């Protein structure tokens, strides 16, 4: 006579109970691993970013699967294939192509809840048609520090080892200008400086254009480079500062946002700000009369920092993935124009 406890039915039930307990324990372990402070993170899903129109070209670059991994961003896929609209985790629209109407917004096909990103690296003075874009975008990618995805034109990063040698200097000040318009503030400041300071001017507007690879070696021979922005706007600091001056090894003389903005990016003694002087004449005298030891102080940062240019749109778009988990899903720019003009 078998005891009730050993009946096949009971055994089954008790096996079931055991299995259930084991399963619970496994779940509990997984939960601990997944959510505990020292647990391994849950496996990460790949984020797909659809680029609706590649900036400034009808031919997007090749975008192999490891594109973002090259910029240190894993689980992030960039694509320019519009048939991914229905499934992309976010879609990014570059403003220039919206402005020239070479590309429209696929509003009718937009999946519910899909985040749309407005992207532009141009200043408000060169950005038109924002009034048409009310209530469309959830996130902004731009050089503005308060952007959802903040992508400066460059930054300084730590580096060790010897700093690169300073280029030999044979001139005082250089300026490269392709679009000279008298009404622009940079043109006015140049006109005021020129009588008191020798400024060698290059670029299309001067009749001395420089080939793409000639710009840096040319301006590197000058002590100062006029990093005058084409328009003055909040946080608008471009490659004229990062590349043409700092990366080239010339000291930037800046006309742009206030000194405090530059100081958020680089040490205060790494540049000369036009606002620091009562007049263009004083600025000219400061630049022209500087001795060697004072001049070298502008390069103190090069012992521990180096310039990293962020000029590639692939890297800029991959940056969306890094911010993706932290961005508000329910945010909408009802007044994108008002935000950008502020
Ligand atoms: C775009 O994606 C679709 C759907 O995944 C695929 O069938 C198609 O081949 C892709 N086109 C290109 C040009 O990669
Ligand atoms: C160089 O210029 C600085 C600042 O104007 C001044 O303090 C310093 O005495 C000068 N050095 C020499 C060697 O003239």
């Amino acid at each position: 006579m078998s005891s009730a406890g050993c009946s096949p039915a009971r055994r089954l039930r008790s096996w079931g109970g055991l299995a259930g307990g084991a399963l619970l324990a496994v779940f509990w372990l997984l939960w601990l691993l997944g959510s505990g402070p020292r647990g391994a993170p849950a496996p990460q899903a790949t984020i797909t970013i659809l680029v609706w129109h590649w900036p400034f070209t009808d031919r997007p670059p090749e975008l192999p699967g490891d594109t973002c991994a090259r910029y240190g961003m894993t689980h992030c896929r960039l694509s320019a294939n519009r048939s991914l609209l229905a499934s992309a985790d976010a879609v990014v629209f570059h403003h220039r192509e919206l402005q020239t109407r070479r590309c429209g917004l696929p509003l009718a096909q937009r999946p519910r809840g899909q985040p749309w990103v407005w992207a532009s690296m141009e200043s408000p003075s060169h950005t038109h048609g924002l009034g048409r874009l009310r209530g469309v975008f959830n996130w902004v990618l731009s050089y503005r520090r308060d952007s959802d995805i903040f992508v400066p034109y460059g930054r300084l990063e730590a580096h060790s080892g010897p700093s690169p040698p300073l280029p030999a200097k044979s001139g005082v000040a250089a300026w490269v200008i392709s679009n000279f318009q008298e009404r622009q503030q940079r043109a006015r400041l140049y006109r005021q400086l020129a009588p008191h300071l020798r400024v060698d001017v290059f670029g299309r507007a001067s009749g001395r254009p420089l080939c793409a690879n000639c710009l840096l070696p040319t301006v590197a021979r000058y002590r100062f480079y006029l990093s005058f922005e084409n328009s003055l706007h909040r946080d608008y600091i471009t490659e004229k500062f990062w590349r043409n001056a700092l990366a080239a090894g010339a000291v930037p003389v800046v006309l742009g946002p206030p000194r405090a903005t530059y100081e958020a990016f680089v040490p205060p003694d790494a540049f000369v700000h036009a606002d620091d002087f009562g007049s263009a004449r004083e600025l000219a005298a400061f630049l022209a009369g500087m001795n060697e030891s004072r001049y070298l102080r502008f390069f103190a940062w090069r012992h521990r920092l180096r310039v990293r240019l962020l000029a590639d749109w692939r890297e800029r778009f991959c940056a969306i993935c890094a911010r993706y988990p932290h961005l508000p899903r329910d945010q909408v720019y009802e007044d994108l124009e008002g935000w950008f003009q502020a």
Side-chain angles (χ1 to χ4, degrees):
M1 185 186 129
S2 62
S3 74
C6 293
S7 71
R10 282 297 293 261
R11 190 171 297 165
L12 250 180
R13 269 203 300 279
S14 61
W15 267 113
L18 252 179
L23 215 59
L24 268 179
V26 166
F27 281 137
W28 176 74
L29 257 173
L30 281 176
W31 178 83
L32 265 188
L33 284 172
S35 66
R38 280 160 300 157
Q44 212 182 324
T46 291
I47 297 168
T48 298
I49 307 292
L50 170 59
V51 182
W52 193 247
H53 195 294
W54 203 266
F56 306 111
T57 175
D58 285 325
R59 294 168 55 103
E62 292 286 316
L63 298 168
D66 67 344
T67 299
C68 291
R70 287 186 225 160
Y71 300 111
M73 200 77 56
T74 57
H75 301 96
C76 181
R77 177 166 69 130
L78 282 192
S79 176
N81 182 345
R82 290 189 180 180
S83 50
L84 299 181
L85 177 63
S87 60
D89 295 295
V91 186
V92 56
F93 297 85
H94 181 247
H95 184 70
R96 177 61 62 90
E97 288 74 31
L98 298 177
Q99 178 175 309
T100 55
R101 289 188 180 273
R102 282 165 62 225
C103 130
L105 292 166
L107 285 165
Q109 294 88 47
R110 181 179 192 172
R112 195 182 191 81
Q114 182 180 63
W116 279 13
V117 185
W118 180 82
S120 181
M121 294 298 279
E122 304 297 322
S123 80
S125 292
H126 296 91
T127 303
H128 307 290
L130 287 182
R132 291 198 305 268
L133 304 176
R134 301 179 75 87
V136 172
F137 292 101
N138 307 98
W139 303 332
V140 163
L141 179 155
S142 84
Y143 61 84
R144 273 265 297 266
R145 279 179 288 167
D146 56 346
S147 301
D148 303 286
I149 301 112
F150 166 51
V151 285
Y153 277 81
R155 63 166 177 258
L156 294 184
E157 59 182 25
H159 106 112
S160 51
S163 54
L166 209 56
K169 304 294 178 184
S170 54
V172 179
W175 191 31
V176 176
I177 176 87
S178 50
N179 178 19
F180 187 91
Q181 295 180 42
E182 294 290 352
R183 64 179 171 78
Q184 292 182 336
Q185 231 159 314
R186 61 180 177 181
R188 266 181 274 147
L189 181 54
Y190 166 73
R191 291 267 186 235
Q192 293 165 353
L193 274 175
H196 312 290
L197 182 75
R198 168 148 187 190
V199 179
D200 286 354
V201 184
F202 301 92
R204 257 191 294 123
S206 70
R208 294 165 83 188
L210 292 174
C211 78
N213 293 328
C214 311
L215 191 145
L216 291 195
T218 301
V219 305
R221 300 199 305 266
Y222 291 83
R223 298 181 116 203
F224 299 98
Y225 180 81
L226 305 188
S227 298
F228 292 180
E229 299 300 346
N230 63 24
S231 48
L232 309 191
H233 293 281
R234 178 170 167 179
D235 295 346
Y236 188 58
I237 302 174
T238 68
E239 81 292 340
K240 295 171 179 66
F241 176 75
W242 291 108
R243 180 173 182 270
N244 302 9
L246 291 182
V251 173
V253 178
V254 305
L255 175 72
R259 167 170 273 280
T261 307
Y262 287 90
E263 290 185 5
F265 292 95
V266 302
D269 55 0
F271 63 96
V272 177
H273 200 298
D275 292 352
D276 294 344
F277 299 86
S279 67
R281 189 185 199 126
E282 285 172 37
L283 170 57
F286 176 75
L287 301 178
M290 188 172 299
N291 64 36
E292 191 68 9
S293 57
R294 174 70 190 88
Y295 180 69
L296 290 177
R297 280 195 0 228
F298 284 106
F299 295 101
W301 59 271
R302 282 163 54 111
H303 297 302
R304 58 198 164 83
L305 299 163
R306 70 174 158 209
V307 178
R308 171 110 154 73
L309 300 174
L310 302 162
D312 195 308
W313 278 102
R314 284 170 295 194
E315 181 167 17
R316 291 169 179 167
F317 291 143
C318 291
I320 298 170
C321 286
R323 298 282 305 127
Y324 191 88
H326 313 290
L327 295 175
R329 292 316 195 93
D330 49 2
Q331 170 178 281
V332 177
Y333 282 82
E334 294 298 348
D335 182 11
L336 184 60
E337 182 165 41
W339 179 84
F340 199 48
Q341 302 281 349

